Amino acid sequence: MSLLINILFIILGLFLLKIILISVFFYREIRAAQKRDPAAKSFIEVLFLYQGLQVLIAHRIAHSFYKAHLFFLARYISQVSRFATGIEIHPGAKIGKRFFIDHGMGVVVGETAVIGDDVLLYQGVTLGGTGIVQGKRHPTVGNNVVIGAGAKVLGNITIGDNSYIGANAVVIHDVPANSTVVGVPGRITKQDGRKIDTSLDHSHVLDPIMQQIEELEKKIEKLEERK
């Protein structure tokens, strides 16, 4: 009986140690989730219940095995994580600090993708390739980028810092910094050179085509007034 109690204490101790280590090493990511998701009520809730954090923990482990050329083990960990969370991140992908996936179901990140710091992805986002070529074939995403639900960013392209990719946009060309991209294919509009607000309401993303139409309407009105 005492042996069983000792085993239970050891298991409990290891569990607590795991929680402490995750809290320390992923503190910035947990705080980023709290900052960006109003549904996150507490540090503990994010720590235990957010699949975006769980998949990131698994990816950090898998990526370390990948860099050590233990490819099968790395891929095995990523596939187990995919089964548990619904998020697929290839162990070869490079991910920066304070990365957050909101909801996350259906997110796919390819092998040669590179993600900068303070990046936010919503559910259904794909950072994918466009062919079977070897080498760099997935996107490079800069710092402080937001990619909306269902957006597809494809190929060896670069998304500049402080950019916003609207929901369901399809992006196949480079995006300059401080830009918003909407539509299929993605259309680019500048954010007046200003850093975007990561709390940006999806329903109020600027559409460059509509902006041009509005400008033309104003010009027509001025011409009619001169008559």
Side-chain angles (χ1 to χ4, degrees):
M1 189 67 177
S2 60
L3 178 61
L4 179 59
I5 293 174
N6 288 336
I7 292 174
L8 290 175
F9 272 117
I10 291 172
I11 293 173
L12 179 60
L14 291 174
F15 176 76
L16 291 174
L17 178 61
K18 173 187 173 182
I19 296 303
I20 291 171
L21 290 175
I22 292 174
S23 299
V24 171
F25 287 105
F26 291 88
Y27 177 83
R28 291 175 297 188
E29 283 71 21
I30 295 172
R31 287 303 186 195
Q34 287 184 280
K35 178 181 178 181
R36 292 179 167 183
D37 185 4
K41 306 302 183 186
S42 68
F43 188 93
I44 295 297
E45 182 181 358
V46 176
L47 179 63
F48 282 99
L49 302 178
Y50 272 53
Q51 68 266 40
L53 176 64
Q54 304 305 319
V55 76
L56 182 60
I57 294 169
H59 174 72
R60 299 294 193 207
I61 297 170
H63 186 64
S64 64
F65 285 120
Y66 184 89
K67 290 193 296 183
H69 297 281
L70 299 173
F71 300 122
F72 180 85
L73 183 57
R75 196 62 188 269
Y76 178 79
I77 293 171
S78 72
Q79 290 302 297
V80 170
S81 175
R82 173 182 178 269
F83 177 80
T85 65
I87 302 168
E88 182 173 352
I89 302 178
H90 193 283
K94 299 177 182 178
I95 299 177
K97 303 171 185 176
R98 295 175 295 279
F99 177 64
F100 177 48
I101 302 176
D102 194 358
H103 297 293
M105 182 63 69
V107 167
V108 177
V109 179
E111 179 184 17
T112 61
V114 178
I115 300 174
D117 298 336
D118 302 296
V119 171
L120 169 61
L121 305 185
Y122 287 91
Q123 68 271 19
V125 167
T126 298
L127 303 182
T130 56
I132 58 174
V133 296
Q134 298 296 315
K136 186 74 168 71
R137 60 190 184 279
H138 297 99
T140 296
V141 179
N143 300 322
N144 195 53
V145 171
V146 178
I147 304 182
K152 313 301 176 188
V153 184
L154 306 174
N156 182 19
I157 62 176
T158 298
I159 307 300
D161 294 348
N162 310 317
S163 291
Y164 183 95
I165 310 299
N168 293 315
V170 177
V171 186
I172 56 176
H173 299 293
D174 289 346
V175 174
N178 305 306
S179 298
T180 294
V181 180
V182 297
V184 181
R187 303 185 297 272
I188 298 172
T189 180
K190 283 287 185 179
Q191 284 280 338
D192 298 326
R194 291 181 286 111
K195 185 176 178 179
I196 64 166
D197 181 359
T198 55
S199 63
L200 186 63
D201 186 346
H202 295 280
S203 63
H204 294 92
V205 176
L206 297 175
D207 186 331
I209 301 300
M210 289 304 299
Q211 285 179 301
Q212 291 175 3
I213 292 173
E214 289 174 359
E215 289 175 1
L216 287 172
E217 288 177 344
K218 290 178 181 178
K219 289 180 180 178
I220 291 172
E221 289 176 358
K222 289 181 179 179
L223 289 173
E224 290 179 343
E225 290 174 356
R226 293 178 182 177
K227 291 180 179 179

